[in-house]
PDB file of all heavy atoms in Angstrom:
ATOM      1  N   ARG A 285      11.716 -26.281  38.813  1.00 98.00           N
ATOM      2  CA  ARG A 285      12.357 -27.585  38.767  1.00 98.00           C
ATOM      3  C   ARG A 285      13.810 -27.501  39.269  1.00 98.00           C
ATOM      4  O   ARG A 285      14.374 -26.420  39.358  1.00 98.00           O
ATOM      5  CB  ARG A 285      12.321 -28.165  37.350  1.00 98.00           C
ATOM      6  CG  ARG A 285      13.191 -27.400  36.370  1.00 98.00           C
ATOM      7  CD  ARG A 285      13.201 -28.063  34.988  1.00 98.00           C
ATOM      8  NE  ARG A 285      14.012 -27.317  34.030  1.00 98.00           N
ATOM      9  CZ  ARG A 285      15.342 -27.452  33.871  1.00 98.00           C
ATOM     10  NH1 ARG A 285      15.998 -28.320  34.625  1.00 98.00           N
ATOM     11  NH2 ARG A 285      15.974 -26.726  32.985  1.00 98.00           N
ATOM     12  N   LEU A 286      14.371 -28.686  39.544  1.00 98.00           N
ATOM     13  CA  LEU A 286      15.742 -28.804  39.987  1.00 98.00           C
ATOM     14  C   LEU A 286      16.404 -29.983  39.289  1.00 98.00           C
ATOM     15  O   LEU A 286      15.899 -31.115  39.393  1.00 98.00           O
ATOM     16  CB  LEU A 286      15.802 -29.000  41.506  1.00 98.00           C
ATOM     17  CG  LEU A 286      17.168 -29.250  42.130  1.00 98.00           C
ATOM     18  CD1 LEU A 286      18.052 -28.005  42.012  1.00 98.00           C
ATOM     19  CD2 LEU A 286      17.034 -29.657  43.584  1.00 98.00           C
ATOM     20  N   ASN A 287      17.502 -29.752  38.608  1.00 98.00           N
ATOM     21  CA  ASN A 287      18.248 -30.798  37.944  1.00 98.00           C
ATOM     22  C   ASN A 287      19.478 -31.155  38.800  1.00 98.00           C
ATOM     23  O   ASN A 287      20.315 -30.274  39.044  1.00 98.00           O
ATOM     24  CB  ASN A 287      18.681 -30.358  36.548  1.00 98.00           C
ATOM     25  CG  ASN A 287      19.433 -31.428  35.781  1.00 98.00           C
ATOM     26  OD1 ASN A 287      19.652 -32.540  36.287  1.00 98.00           O
ATOM     27  ND2 ASN A 287      19.835 -31.131  34.563  1.00 98.00           N
ATOM     28  N   LEU A 288      19.576 -32.417  39.188  1.00 98.00           N
ATOM     29  CA  LEU A 288      20.666 -32.841  40.079  1.00 98.00           C
ATOM     30  C   LEU A 288      21.705 -33.740  39.382  1.00 98.00           C
ATOM     31  O   LEU A 288      22.551 -34.319  40.052  1.00 98.00           O
ATOM     32  CB  LEU A 288      20.072 -33.603  41.277  1.00 98.00           C
ATOM     33  CG  LEU A 288      19.324 -32.722  42.283  1.00 98.00           C
ATOM     34  CD1 LEU A 288      18.606 -33.597  43.313  1.00 98.00           C
ATOM     35  CD2 LEU A 288      20.276 -31.778  42.974  1.00 98.00           C
ATOM     36  N   ASP A 289      21.653 -33.803  38.058  1.00 98.00           N
ATOM     37  CA  ASP A 289      22.704 -34.573  37.375  1.00 98.00           C
ATOM     38  C   ASP A 289      23.918 -33.694  37.166  1.00 98.00           C
ATOM     39  O   ASP A 289      24.011 -32.942  36.178  1.00 98.00           O
ATOM     40  CB  ASP A 289      22.186 -35.115  36.032  1.00 98.00           C
ATOM     41  CG  ASP A 289      23.244 -36.009  35.347  1.00 98.00           C
ATOM     42  OD1 ASP A 289      24.351 -36.135  35.878  1.00 98.00           O
ATOM     43  OD2 ASP A 289      22.924 -36.568  34.277  1.00 98.00           O
ATOM     44  N   THR A 290      24.841 -33.750  38.092  1.00 97.00           N
ATOM     45  CA  THR A 290      26.034 -32.903  38.022  1.00 97.00           C
ATOM     46  C   THR A 290      27.246 -33.637  37.434  1.00 97.00           C
ATOM     47  O   THR A 290      28.387 -33.272  37.647  1.00 97.00           O
ATOM     48  CB  THR A 290      26.367 -32.345  39.410  1.00 97.00           C
ATOM     49  OG1 THR A 290      26.348 -33.401  40.388  1.00 97.00           O
ATOM     50  CG2 THR A 290      25.341 -31.292  39.830  1.00 97.00           C
ATOM     51  N   GLY A 291      26.959 -34.715  36.668  1.00 97.00           N
ATOM     52  CA  GLY A 291      28.004 -35.374  35.874  1.00 97.00           C
ATOM     53  C   GLY A 291      29.013 -36.149  36.700  1.00 97.00           C
ATOM     54  O   GLY A 291      30.210 -36.075  36.416  1.00 97.00           O
ATOM     55  N   ALA A 292      28.538 -36.929  37.649  1.00 98.00           N
ATOM     56  CA  ALA A 292      29.471 -37.676  38.489  1.00 98.00           C
ATOM     57  C   ALA A 292      30.405 -38.596  37.697  1.00 98.00           C
ATOM     58  O   ALA A 292      31.573 -38.734  38.037  1.00 98.00           O
ATOM     59  CB  ALA A 292      28.697 -38.520  39.536  1.00 98.00           C
ATOM     60  N   CYS A 293      29.886 -39.187  36.634  1.00 97.00           N
ATOM     61  CA  CYS A 293      30.700 -40.116  35.853  1.00 97.00           C
ATOM     62  C   CYS A 293      31.613 -39.396  34.868  1.00 97.00           C
ATOM     63  O   CYS A 293      32.441 -40.026  34.221  1.00 97.00           O
ATOM     64  CB  CYS A 293      29.829 -41.140  35.129  1.00 97.00           C
ATOM     65  SG  CYS A 293      28.779 -40.437  33.852  1.00 97.00           S
ATOM     66  N   PHE A 294      31.455 -38.106  34.736  1.00 97.00           N
ATOM     67  CA  PHE A 294      32.268 -37.293  33.799  1.00 97.00           C
ATOM     68  C   PHE A 294      33.261 -36.406  34.551  1.00 97.00           C
ATOM     69  O   PHE A 294      33.766 -35.453  33.983  1.00 97.00           O
ATOM     70  CB  PHE A 294      31.370 -36.427  32.928  1.00 97.00           C
ATOM     71  CG  PHE A 294      30.380 -37.234  32.084  1.00 97.00           C
ATOM     72  CD1 PHE A 294      29.034 -37.014  32.231  1.00 97.00           C
ATOM     73  CD2 PHE A 294      30.822 -38.161  31.178  1.00 97.00           C
ATOM     74  CE1 PHE A 294      28.110 -37.719  31.471  1.00 97.00           C
ATOM     75  CE2 PHE A 294      29.930 -38.885  30.393  1.00 97.00           C
ATOM     76  CZ  PHE A 294      28.564 -38.652  30.552  1.00 97.00           C
ATOM     77  N   GLY A 295      33.498 -36.692  35.810  1.00 97.00           N
ATOM     78  CA  GLY A 295      34.441 -35.907  36.597  1.00 97.00           C
ATOM     79  C   GLY A 295      33.816 -34.867  37.511  1.00 97.00           C
ATOM     80  O   GLY A 295      34.499 -34.254  38.315  1.00 97.00           O
ATOM     81  N   GLY A 296      32.510 -34.694  37.390  1.00 97.00           N
ATOM     82  CA  GLY A 296      31.796 -33.793  38.293  1.00 97.00           C
ATOM     83  C   GLY A 296      31.481 -34.448  39.615  1.00 97.00           C
ATOM     84  O   GLY A 296      31.741 -35.627  39.812  1.00 97.00           O
ATOM     85  N   PRO A 297      30.885 -33.726  40.546  1.00 97.00           N
ATOM     86  CA  PRO A 297      30.503 -34.290  41.811  1.00 97.00           C
ATOM     87  C   PRO A 297      29.228 -35.109  41.715  1.00 97.00           C
ATOM     88  O   PRO A 297      28.482 -34.978  40.746  1.00 97.00           O
ATOM     89  CB  PRO A 297      30.300 -33.089  42.708  1.00 97.00           C
ATOM     90  CG  PRO A 297      29.812 -32.022  41.736  1.00 97.00           C
ATOM     91  CD  PRO A 297      30.581 -32.268  40.456  1.00 97.00           C
ATOM     92  N   LEU A 298      28.998 -35.940  42.698  1.00 98.00           N
ATOM     93  CA  LEU A 298      27.682 -36.567  42.905  1.00 98.00           C
ATOM     94  C   LEU A 298      26.954 -35.707  43.910  1.00 98.00           C
ATOM     95  O   LEU A 298      27.505 -35.420  44.986  1.00 98.00           O
ATOM     96  CB  LEU A 298      27.857 -37.996  43.411  1.00 98.00           C
ATOM     97  CG  LEU A 298      26.542 -38.765  43.638  1.00 98.00           C
ATOM     98  CD1 LEU A 298      25.753 -38.925  42.363  1.00 98.00           C
ATOM     99  CD2 LEU A 298      26.855 -40.132  44.277  1.00 98.00           C
ATOM    100  N   THR A 299      25.752 -35.311  43.582  1.00 98.00           N
ATOM    101  CA  THR A 299      25.070 -34.259  44.350  1.00 98.00           C
ATOM    102  C   THR A 299      23.727 -34.733  44.901  1.00 98.00           C
ATOM    103  O   THR A 299      22.964 -35.421  44.205  1.00 98.00           O
ATOM    104  CB  THR A 299      24.840 -32.997  43.485  1.00 98.00           C
ATOM    105  OG1 THR A 299      26.111 -32.532  43.014  1.00 98.00           O
ATOM    106  CG2 THR A 299      24.178 -31.893  44.288  1.00 98.00           C
ATOM    107  N   ALA A 300      23.465 -34.296  46.130  1.00 98.00           N
ATOM    108  CA  ALA A 300      22.139 -34.488  46.753  1.00 98.00           C
ATOM    109  C   ALA A 300      21.547 -33.117  47.110  1.00 98.00           C
ATOM    110  O   ALA A 300      22.302 -32.231  47.547  1.00 98.00           O
ATOM    111  CB  ALA A 300      22.249 -35.349  48.022  1.00 98.00           C
ATOM    112  N   ALA A 301      20.263 -32.993  46.900  1.00 98.00           N
ATOM    113  CA  ALA A 301      19.541 -31.813  47.418  1.00 98.00           C
ATOM    114  C   ALA A 301      18.811 -32.192  48.673  1.00 98.00           C
ATOM    115  O   ALA A 301      18.293 -33.319  48.785  1.00 98.00           O
ATOM    116  CB  ALA A 301      18.548 -31.304  46.365  1.00 98.00           C
ATOM    117  N   VAL A 302      18.752 -31.284  49.610  1.00 97.00           N
ATOM    118  CA  VAL A 302      18.098 -31.535  50.893  1.00 97.00           C
ATOM    119  C   VAL A 302      16.766 -30.769  50.933  1.00 97.00           C
ATOM    120  O   VAL A 302      16.719 -29.558  50.633  1.00 97.00           O
ATOM    121  CB  VAL A 302      18.969 -31.090  52.079  1.00 97.00           C
ATOM    122  CG1 VAL A 302      18.349 -31.556  53.405  1.00 97.00           C
ATOM    123  CG2 VAL A 302      20.395 -31.618  51.938  1.00 97.00           C
ATOM    124  N   PHE A 303      15.701 -31.478  51.288  1.00 97.00           N
ATOM    125  CA  PHE A 303      14.372 -30.872  51.414  1.00 97.00           C
ATOM    126  C   PHE A 303      13.840 -31.118  52.822  1.00 97.00           C
ATOM    127  O   PHE A 303      14.150 -32.152  53.434  1.00 97.00           O
ATOM    128  CB  PHE A 303      13.390 -31.471  50.407  1.00 97.00           C
ATOM    129  CG  PHE A 303      13.815 -31.309  48.972  1.00 97.00           C
ATOM    130  CD1 PHE A 303      14.575 -32.260  48.333  1.00 97.00           C
ATOM    131  CD2 PHE A 303      13.443 -30.166  48.254  1.00 97.00           C
ATOM    132  CE1 PHE A 303      14.962 -32.095  47.011  1.00 97.00           C
ATOM    133  CE2 PHE A 303      13.830 -29.986  46.948  1.00 97.00           C
ATOM    134  CZ  PHE A 303      14.596 -30.965  46.308  1.00 97.00           C
ATOM    135  N   ASP A 304      13.006 -30.181  53.316  1.00 96.00           N
ATOM    136  CA  ASP A 304      12.341 -30.429  54.594  1.00 96.00           C
ATOM    137  C   ASP A 304      10.825 -30.400  54.375  1.00 96.00           C
ATOM    138  O   ASP A 304      10.349 -30.356  53.222  1.00 96.00           O
ATOM    139  CB  ASP A 304      12.781 -29.425  55.660  1.00 96.00           C
ATOM    140  CG  ASP A 304      12.408 -27.969  55.350  1.00 96.00           C
ATOM    141  OD1 ASP A 304      11.585 -27.748  54.437  1.00 96.00           O
ATOM    142  OD2 ASP A 304      12.909 -27.072  56.046  1.00 96.00           O
ATOM    143  N   ASP A 305      10.067 -30.413  55.457  1.00 94.00           N
ATOM    144  CA  ASP A 305       8.606 -30.465  55.340  1.00 94.00           C
ATOM    145  C   ASP A 305       7.963 -29.108  55.242  1.00 94.00           C
ATOM    146  O   ASP A 305       6.744 -28.983  55.146  1.00 94.00           O
ATOM    147  CB  ASP A 305       8.042 -31.177  56.577  1.00 94.00           C
ATOM    148  CG  ASP A 305       8.447 -32.643  56.625  1.00 94.00           C
ATOM    149  OD1 ASP A 305       8.654 -33.236  55.547  1.00 94.00           O
ATOM    150  OD2 ASP A 305       8.547 -33.198  57.738  1.00 94.00           O
ATOM    151  N   VAL A 306       8.772 -28.029  55.253  1.00 94.00           N
ATOM    152  CA  VAL A 306       8.218 -26.671  55.257  1.00 94.00           C
ATOM    153  C   VAL A 306       8.387 -26.000  53.870  1.00 94.00           C
ATOM    154  O   VAL A 306       7.434 -25.659  53.206  1.00 94.00           O
ATOM    155  CB  VAL A 306       8.899 -25.801  56.340  1.00 94.00           C
ATOM    156  CG1 VAL A 306       8.329 -24.403  56.303  1.00 94.00           C
ATOM    157  CG2 VAL A 306       8.659 -26.432  57.716  1.00 94.00           C
ATOM    158  N   ALA A 307       9.628 -25.831  53.451  1.00 95.00           N
ATOM    159  CA  ALA A 307       9.914 -25.202  52.167  1.00 95.00           C
ATOM    160  C   ALA A 307       9.597 -26.181  51.023  1.00 95.00           C
ATOM    161  O   ALA A 307       9.678 -27.395  51.194  1.00 95.00           O
ATOM    162  CB  ALA A 307      11.363 -24.772  52.093  1.00 95.00           C
ATOM    163  N   VAL A 308       9.305 -25.633  49.861  1.00 97.00           N
ATOM    164  CA  VAL A 308       9.071 -26.463  48.673  1.00 97.00           C
ATOM    165  C   VAL A 308      10.410 -26.805  48.016  1.00 97.00           C
ATOM    166  O   VAL A 308      10.690 -27.964  47.696  1.00 97.00           O
ATOM    167  CB  VAL A 308       8.153 -25.777  47.649  1.00 97.00           C
ATOM    168  CG1 VAL A 308       8.089 -26.551  46.347  1.00 97.00           C
ATOM    169  CG2 VAL A 308       6.763 -25.588  48.246  1.00 97.00           C
TER     170      VAL A 308
END
């Protein structure tokens, strides 16, 4: 699994993960 809540509203960054059609 991957957790992407990096606490944007608490001073952390807003984060996106990038996926393609090959890797999981």
Side-chain angles (χ1 to χ4, degrees):
R285 67 176 179 87
L286 175 67
N287 182 0
L288 289 171
D289 184 357
T290 49
C293 67
F294 301 119
L298 181 62
T299 302
V302 188
F303 300 92
D304 65 12
D305 295 330
V306 179
V308 172

